Amino acid sequence: MYLEQGPAAHGWVEDQVWTASRVATLIGQKFHIAYSVSGATRLMHRLGFSPQVPARRVAERDEQAVAVWKEATWAEG
């Protein structure tokens, strides 16, 4: 099964999560069938998978700088 091979096997190397959007794209590439994101979500659930949402956090994020900004700048607003 394509999903068991993982996203990297199909070109998504930045993270190892299956999103419904990626599954819909994969279905289109492999089977030439248009699937909506919601349809891909339902299909994934029927197959025992749950779509994941990749974290939108930068790997180089400086948590201390964020905390200082929140206290100094954001609190003023």
Side-chain angles (χ1 to χ4, degrees):
M1 172 186 268
Y2 292 121
L3 295 181
E4 291 171 345
Q5 295 171 350
H10 302 285
W12 291 285
V13 294
E14 59 275 1
D15 56 40
Q16 285 298 296
V17 296
W18 279 118
T19 64
S21 178
R22 288 179 179 179
V23 172
T25 300
L26 183 66
I27 291 169
Q29 291 172 349
K30 300 297 182 184
F31 302 104
H32 307 288
I33 298 171
Y35 245 80
S36 67
V37 173
S38 62
T41 299
R42 287 191 300 272
L43 178 62
M44 290 177 75
H45 284 290
R46 283 197 305 263
L47 295 173
F49 288 88
S50 69
Q52 304 295 310
V53 178
R56 302 265 191 245
R57 187 165 289 193
V58 179
E60 298 85 20
R61 180 174 162 146
D62 183 348
E63 293 297 334
Q64 185 176 2
V66 171
V68 168
W69 179 85
K70 282 182 180 179
E71 287 181 18
T73 306
W74 194 39
E76 291 175 7

